[in-house]
Amino acid sequence: MSIDKPADREPGFSTLAIHAGAAPDPSTGARVTPVYQTTSYVFNNVDHAAALFNLEVFGNIYSRIGNPTQAVLEQRVAALEGGTAALAVASGHAAQAVVFQTLMQPGDEFVAGRQLYGGSVNQFNHAFKTFDWKVVWADSTKPETFLEAISPKTKAIFCESIANPGGIVVDLPAISAVAKQAGVPLIVDNTLATPYLCRPKDFGADIVVHSLTKFMGGHGNSIGGAIVDCGSYDWLSAKKNYPALQDPNPSYNGIRMAETFGNFAFALAARVLGLRDLGPAISPFNAFLILTGIETLPLRMAKHCENALAVASHLAGHPRVAWVNYAGLPSNPYHALANKICPRGAGSVFTFGLKGGYEAGVQLVSNVQLISHLANIGDVRSLIIHPASTTHRQLTDEQRAAAGAGDDVVRLSVGLEDVDDIVADLDQALAAR
Ligand SMILES: *Cc1c(COP(=O)(O)O)cnc(C)c1O
């Protein structure tokens, strides 16, 4: 934190969203964090270069491993999530790949709640299989299924805080209790909630991942991802093997990451091993755009939730709508859990069902005018998609139903337009034939 503050005061969330990690540029005085559009950085001398490569001092070497614009983004995300450190990468999926590459060995397993972003289901089922990492599926609405899925090979548990696209709020304390019992870290994808609505660390998460592409950046203009180290998992006394954290590292003079770097060892290992060797670096320009977006995160999330609640309430009373699954509605089965996990609001992504099934879903997305029919969420613009004909079409019928993406399901990401205009657009599109 670079803002002046009396020792007894912690800055609030909005202050952190604007200031954490940033200071006026020391060489120019530029107040906004510049885009450091450079690949590499001149060493002070040979000893400085050696110390950087030995991890004896931290500093810039090469922008695949770190960049000053990216560093401000990382410190800001870490501050908002209450973590010890963070790593920004090229996408949300890159964040997941780097996290698991840091934790897993061939033959290892992890348990994941099956109510996930469709792309994560694909990544876990198919891409990860080629690395011989096995996903074992549990049900995020039934924390006991995570315990049943644990085996001696389990190295981690993964779930979303608010699950996409089902609108399910996940009982993080219950799943964290399973992770503690199994002795493995809990990884939470906090993309839909953002730290404004939910801080998974406060409910027992050890690692938080983000698609910064969505609400964090917030404007639909940049792909990015982040990994947050909550500093809570004790790699040194773990009963499981995590060689990247625990073993002497041959590419860094035999240092042991967990021993040397303590409560930020995971973020560091993910950077100097995972990001270094796999290579999904975020571009400095994307880091800049996402940083700018984060400055208004509290304002945007509050308004996203307000608009989403109004739209969900309207749809719940619409004659062509069979059901609305938004945890912000008092009648929703997840409402009580939402009040506990994300008391400021249940986010702005939710699903609803059309009485006309698959055809009605296709009709609706074809007839909206203000709302954009596309595969994204977390934009200032309102977005709509019919998962069965798009994002979830590669899944089997059974997987689709389990993921909350059956034939009649439509997903909305409610934006920041005037709510009357959003409602009017939905009404005309639902009336059209
Ligand atoms: C979009 C998304 C991802 C993947 O992020 P990308 O930035 O598109 O790679 C992962 N999890 C959730 C919940 C998402 O919405």
Side-chain angles (χ1 to χ4, degrees):
M1 272 299 299
S2 55
I3 56 169
D4 292 328
K5 63 175 170 93
D8 62 339
R9 259 191 65 76
E10 282 299 319
F13 190 94
S14 296
T15 305
L16 291 173
I18 295 169
H19 291 283
D25 183 59
S27 56
T28 62
R31 187 64 193 87
V32 172
T33 299
V35 183
Y36 287 94
Q37 193 68 36
T38 183
T39 56
S40 36
Y41 309 83
V42 178
F43 306 120
N44 300 344
N45 51 51
V46 172
D47 289 342
H48 176 228
L52 284 168
F53 279 98
N54 286 344
L55 300 178
E56 288 157 14
V57 296
F58 293 130
N60 299 305
I61 299 177
Y62 187 61
S63 287
R64 169 155 38 77
I65 306 167
N67 166 282
T69 313
Q70 173 189 347
V72 175
L73 173 61
E74 290 165 346
Q75 288 173 44
R76 192 158 304 168
V77 173
L80 295 177
E81 287 286 4
T84 51
L87 176 63
V89 292
S91 68
H93 271 8
Q96 293 169 190
V98 168
V99 161
F100 282 101
Q101 200 262 344
T102 307
L103 295 174
M104 305 280 281
Q105 297 290 106
D108 283 348
E109 298 178 2
F110 66 101
V111 178
R114 69 169 72 90
Q115 293 85 352
L116 291 184
Y117 175 67
S120 300
V121 175
N122 276 332
Q123 186 187 46
F124 293 177
N125 273 337
H126 305 301
F128 282 10
K129 197 168 157 191
T130 68
F131 306 144
D132 201 13
W133 305 336
K134 186 178 172 205
V135 59
V136 180
W137 295 108
D139 182 341
S140 298
T141 68
K142 300 191 180 80
E144 66 279 10
T145 60
F146 285 76
L147 191 59
E148 290 156 18
I150 298 286
S151 88
K153 293 178 178 172
T154 308
K155 289 293 177 68
I157 294 180
F158 186 97
C159 66
E160 296 180 1
S161 47
I162 299 179
N164 177 355
I168 291 159
V169 179
V170 177
D171 191 346
L172 297 178
I175 294 173
S176 157
V178 174
K180 293 211 162 48
Q181 194 177 334
V184 298
L186 172 62
I187 306 159
V188 175
D189 180 342
N190 201 31
T191 299
L192 264 70
T194 82
Y196 179 77
L197 298 179
C198 170
R199 240 166 58 167
K201 181 194 177 200
D202 298 343
F203 301 108
D206 300 297
I207 297 163
V208 174
V209 291
H210 273 282
S211 170
L212 299 176
T213 313
K214 315 295 169 55
F215 293 99
M216 293 290 269
H219 294 73
N221 57 24
S222 318
I223 303 276
I227 299 164
V228 181
D229 187 343
C230 296
S232 49
Y233 189 82
D234 184 354
W235 308 100
L236 287 175
S237 58
K239 296 200 175 58
K240 304 268 177 173
N241 292 336
Y242 298 99
L245 282 300
Q246 297 159 339
D247 292 359
N249 194 282
S251 66
Y252 288 108
N253 288 331
I255 61 171
R256 296 168 197 262
M257 295 289 165
E259 195 177 82
T260 310
F261 299 109
N263 69 358
F264 63 95
F266 184 80
L268 195 86
R271 180 192 305 281
V272 304
L273 300 172
L275 184 56
R276 182 193 67 174
D277 297 344
L278 298 179
I282 189 169
S283 96
F285 189 58
N286 281 12
F288 171 84
L289 289 171
I290 293 167
L291 260 179
T292 305
I294 289 175
E295 293 177 356
T296 55
L297 180 71
L299 288 170
R300 287 187 290 104
M301 290 313 290
K303 186 69 178 170
H304 273 299
C305 291
E306 185 187 317
N307 279 2
L309 183 58
V311 172
S313 305
H314 177 79
L315 289 172
H318 196 287
R320 291 204 167 146
V321 172
W323 51 267
V324 177
N325 189 359
Y326 182 54
L329 292 173
S331 58
N332 187 274
Y334 297 101
H335 190 65
L337 202 49
N339 283 340
K340 181 169 150 194
I341 304 289
C342 46
R344 284 165 151 166
S348 93
V349 177
F350 67 88
T351 49
F352 59 100
L354 294 170
K355 288 181 182 161
Y358 190 94
E359 283 311 313
V362 169
Q363 281 292 322
L364 174 59
V365 299
S366 307
N367 287 317
V368 287
Q369 290 166 359
L370 175 69
I371 303 172
S372 305
H373 174 212
L374 55 71
N376 192 24
I377 55 169
D379 193 321
V380 292
R381 283 152 278 267
S382 290
L383 314 175
I384 197 165
I385 200 158
H386 178 225
S389 59
T390 54
T391 51
H392 285 62
R393 65 178 300 131
Q394 307 301 341
L395 306 184
T396 63
D397 285 353
E398 190 192 25
Q399 284 173 326
R400 268 207 292 274
D407 279 354
D408 61 331
V409 178
V410 174
R411 184 187 76 197
L412 261 182
S413 174
V414 179
L416 303 181
E417 301 95 340
D418 288 288
V419 71
D420 293 346
D421 293 330
I422 303 170
V423 164
D425 192 36
L426 286 167
D427 281 351
Q428 70 76 23
L430 284 164
R433 282 284 139 166

